[in-house]
Structure formats: structure tokens, C-alpha cells
Amino acid sequence: YQVIAAASIAERKSEHPLAKAIIAHAADFAVPTEEPDEFFYTPGKGVRASSRGEEILVGSKALLLEHGVKCANPLVGESADGASQVYVARAGRLLGSIRIADVLRPEAKQAVAAMRQMGVRTVLLSGDTQGATIGVGRELGVDEMVGELLPEQKASWVKDLRRKGRKVAMVGDGINDAPALVEADVGIAMGSGTDVARESADIILIGNDLSKFVETLRVARRCRGIIMQNFVGTLAVDSVGVGMAAFGLLNPLLAAIIHVVSELAFILNSTRLLPSRSQARH
């Protein structure tokens, strides 16, 4: 009870998904709501708050060690089941830890599989422990999983991928994702994410459905393909017209017919991007 009570006070003002889970769990235990006197957030590590003159730390082991809290407690061990481990300390003393397991969104696995079929390489960058990141990544079916990353390290990963000539689309929803969203070729924030993430992104998806991102990618690729078809078609028609004119085979009437017919063909080709009736209803 003391662990949940202290954690709920410190996380009261946080927008992190783990904080929301802790607050919800505290409500299930009927823990009294209490606002912290002070609140400080360290990206990638956790939060520090004060209540009734006592300092409360909630976050990684690194955060507690920075503030002189010893974590050598036999009752508090590392999570072995892939869950995220959140340590809680109050007044310089370790109270315990909270294990929070990630629950995959229903559409997440199908979305990742669809991206792989489209030839898109997927990388999971997380601030959680390596064990938790690998567990979630394997269940999702992503190509590469990297955990225990600070926000600047996520951004560095994106920079390295771009330096290798890769085109990078970063999808995120938290404060820790903001630097990487800025560094990516295209930063995509989920509509349910934090304000900082939405402000850092180039594109905001409504809601939190990952399948919407897959559909957006499909539409973008199809749109680019049709644009290239029309562009190449225009060059081909113009080249034929110039050649015919050079040999005296093109009169004004035939030129007008070729122009009108080709333009109509390109317009009809572009109408393939219009949504079907079923898509329009959605």
C-alpha cells in the first residue's frame, strides 16, 4: 500500500503511460488522491516529487542511485517476465517496486506484419528494460529491438539510420519520443499522445490505431505511384508530339486531339485515388 500511495502522489502530474497505469491501480486500491507539492520529470528516468516535506522518487534504478538511494533490497529484484520495473523511494529509503506489463493493442501485430509485407523494416526503440523490450518486440514481430534508451539516444538512433541513407518514419506518443520525432524524415505522433509529441511531429494520426498508419503509408505509396505514371506519360506524349511535328506529321487538329485525350487519360488515372463507397463510410 505504501508503495502505491507514494507512487500515485509522484505520478499525479505526469503524462507518461506508466504513470497513468499507476494512478489507475491506485484508484482500484482506493488510495486517497493527493497532489504533490513539487514535481520534476527527468526524461527517460522518472519523476521526483515532494509531499509533506518528503522527497518521493519513482522511476529507474539509475534515478534512485543519482539521489543516493540504495537499491540493494532482496525483496526487490529485476523483472524476469518482460514487465517494466518501476522503483519507488520516499525520504531516501527504497519502499519497493512496481511491475507493469505491456498489453499490446489488438491491431498492433497485424500492423507490423502488414508493414513487413510492404518491405518496411521495423525497429522498436524503448526506454524500458532490454528484457521487456525484447519480449514485446518478439510478440509484435519487429525486426530489431533496442531497450534502455534515453530520449537523446533514440534521436541518435534515428540520426544514424538517416546517415546510412535510410528513409525513417518515427511513430511515437510520449515526451521521450519528441527528439526522435524531430530527427526523423517524417515524425508521426498518435493523436492520443502527449502535447510535446504532437508538436514535434510532422503528421498526427487521429486516435491511437496503428492500422491507420499502415493505411496512410499505403495511400502515400499509391499516390506517389500514380503521380510518377502521369509524369512519365506526359513526357512520353510530349516527346511523340515533338517528333511528329519535326517530321511534319502533326497538324493543329491532331495536336489538339492528342492533348485533350492524353489529359483525360491522366485525369481518369488520378481518379483511382478516390475512396470507394466502403472506405468513404469509414
Side-chain angles (χ1 to χ4, degrees):
Y1 180 86
Q2 291 182 352
V3 176
I4 294 296
S8 66
I9 295 173
E11 298 284 13
R12 186 67 57 181
K13 295 184 178 181
S14 175
E15 295 183 345
H16 196 281
L18 294 183
K20 296 177 181 178
I22 291 173
I23 297 300
H25 192 60
D28 293 338
F29 275 82
V31 175
T33 302
E34 186 177 338
E35 293 288 332
D37 300 324
E38 293 181 323
F39 174 83
F40 303 95
Y41 172 67
T42 304
K45 293 184 178 180
V47 301
R48 176 170 62 90
S50 65
S51 176
R52 302 177 184 178
E54 294 182 337
E55 183 181 65
I56 303 174
L57 301 171
V58 181
S60 66
K61 184 181 292 186
L63 177 69
L64 271 64
L65 293 176
E66 284 181 5
H67 291 81
V69 179
K70 296 180 179 180
C71 298
N73 189 328
L75 298 179
V76 181
E78 294 293 338
S79 175
D81 56 1
S84 299
Q85 192 88 345
V86 180
Y87 294 89
V88 182
R90 185 166 190 166
R93 183 173 63 90
L94 178 66
L95 296 181
S97 68
I98 302 172
R99 291 195 299 173
I100 303 176
D102 292 310
V103 178
L104 298 182
R105 299 186 186 280
E107 79 286 353
K109 192 171 182 178
Q110 290 78 8
V112 173
M115 283 186 279
R116 295 190 71 177
Q117 290 179 352
M118 297 168 68
V120 177
R121 179 177 174 80
T122 54
V123 181
L124 177 60
L125 304 178
S126 175
D128 288 339
T129 63
Q130 185 67 12
T133 304
I134 291 175
V136 172
R138 286 177 176 172
E139 190 172 353
L140 283 174
V142 300
D143 297 299
E144 187 174 357
M145 299 82 73
V146 185
E148 301 179 5
L149 294 177
L150 296 175
E152 57 270 20
Q153 291 173 319
K154 290 184 180 181
S156 178
W157 257 86
V158 173
K159 279 184 181 179
D160 290 341
L161 289 174
R162 293 187 64 190
R163 196 177 295 118
K164 294 175 182 177
R166 303 287 183 85
K167 295 296 183 181
V168 182
M170 172 70 186
V171 183
D173 62 357
I175 296 174
N176 297 343
D177 299 322
L181 290 170
V182 174
E183 291 294 338
D185 290 292
V186 181
I188 304 167
M190 307 304 290
S192 60
T194 61
D195 293 337
V196 175
R198 291 198 297 267
E199 291 172 2
S200 302
D202 302 299
I203 299 173
I204 300 176
L205 296 178
I206 298 176
N208 54 15
D209 190 344
L210 286 175
S211 61
K212 299 295 184 183
F213 169 67
V214 177
E215 185 61 28
T216 301
L217 185 57
R218 285 191 179 127
V219 170
R221 286 189 170 188
R222 192 176 177 200
C223 181
R224 184 179 184 275
I226 289 179
I227 289 173
M228 291 305 298
Q229 290 171 10
N230 290 347
F231 178 71
V232 173
T234 299
L235 292 179
V237 170
D238 289 347
S239 298
V240 171
V242 170
M244 293 177 65
F247 288 98
L249 303 175
L250 189 65
N251 57 56
L253 179 60
L254 182 57
I257 293 174
I258 292 175
H259 175 74
V260 172
V261 171
S262 63
E263 291 300 318
L264 284 175
F266 298 144
I267 291 173
L268 290 174
N269 187 42
S270 299
T271 59
R272 293 193 295 129
L273 289 172
L274 295 175
S276 62
R277 291 184 177 180
S278 59
Q279 290 175 325
R281 284 195 296 269
H282 290 298

